[in-house]
Amino acid sequence: MISCEFKYCKPDSLPALMQILTMYPEATLLAGGHALLPAMKSREIRPERLVDLAAIPELRGIRRGSAAIQIGAMVTTAEVEHSSLLKDALPLLPDAAKVISDPLIRNRATIGGSLAQAEPSGDWPAIALAVGAIIHLTGVNGERAVPIDDFFQI
Ligand SMILES: Cc1cc2nc3c(=O)[nH]c(=O)nc-3n(C[C@H](O)[C@H](O)[C@H](O)COP(=O)(O)OP(=O)(O)OC[C@H]3O[C@@H](n4cnc5c(N)ncnc54)[C@H](O)[C@@H]3O)c2cc1C
């Protein structure tokens, strides 16, 4: 199946993304696309405007922060699998990543997409709960940090 027509843009910074979301609050974010694109092709969802997060550097990278390890929303499962920082500091994550689906999926699917999708059967939501992750959210009204126990809504 082919999806409905949609408008597409690819901002190159977080401020540029916020400008787009201010203008188009109904826009749909695109990460790895492994959940979103099949749903569009089956026409289960018909977004008018896709905003691709792939070129936003602020959403990439795995870093050691002062109190915790920070993983960007656009970090892929494969990047977690191969991260030497995580292998040393939090081996549960690469150990889990390497058994998630297959390399094609791991190379595209993102941590942020998985947590936002919040599939009850998804691996990253369960792993985030197991390690007590803090989710840092940025929106047009500012930033906030949400403990994973309060992040998922039923
Ligand atoms: C064949 C196949 C096998 C899979 N096997 C597994 C498996 O074994 N285990 C597993 O856990 N998962 C599995 N998945 C799911 C996959 O790992 C990802 O969780 C899923 O594809 C979502 O991540 P994504 O980056 O592709 O997000 P997308 O499909 O791009 O987005 C998913 C949703 O999240 C929203 N979103 C994305 N990023 C953000 C963001 N930064 N902020 C706010 N909202 C956002 C999007 O708007 C969309 O609504 C599989 C998927 C496929 C297609």
Side-chain angles (χ1 to χ4, degrees):
M1 292 265 300
I2 297 175
S3 77
C4 294
E5 278 191 22
F6 55 87
K7 296 189 176 67
Y8 172 87
C9 62
K10 193 174 181 181
D12 60 6
S13 70
L14 210 47
L17 170 64
M18 293 306 137
Q19 274 182 2
I20 292 168
L21 293 179
T22 302
M23 281 189 290
Y24 306 107
E26 79 297 343
T28 299
L29 303 179
L30 171 66
H34 275 318
L36 190 56
L37 298 184
M40 288 171 63
K41 286 184 175 178
S42 67
R43 310 219 168 174
E44 186 187 323
I45 56 169
R46 299 161 185 251
E48 280 182 23
R49 185 177 301 271
L50 283 193
V51 183
D52 191 340
L53 305 179
I56 301 178
E58 296 94 319
L59 299 181
R60 297 223 164 252
I62 302 172
R63 297 178 197 85
R64 191 186 289 278
S66 53
I69 291 175
Q70 299 166 352
I71 302 178
M74 285 298 286
V75 166
T76 63
T77 297
E79 287 172 317
V80 172
E81 179 185 357
H82 299 296
S83 162
S84 45
L85 169 57
L86 289 174
K87 282 179 188 172
D88 281 346
L90 202 51
L92 171 68
L93 269 65
D95 282 351
K98 69 183 175 203
V99 293
I100 292 178
S101 195
D102 58 47
L104 287 177
I105 300 299
R106 295 202 290 272
N107 283 338
R108 294 284 311 177
T110 65
I111 303 286
S114 177
L115 294 177
Q117 185 75 8
E119 275 291 331
S121 60
D123 288 290
W124 287 119
I127 295 163
L129 284 164
V131 300
I134 308 284
I135 310 297
H136 290 264
L137 301 170
T138 303
V140 294
N141 295 320
E143 297 177 17
R144 64 199 167 105
V146 179
I148 191 72
D149 286 340
D150 300 329
F151 179 69
F152 299 115
Q153 296 179 351
I154 299 174

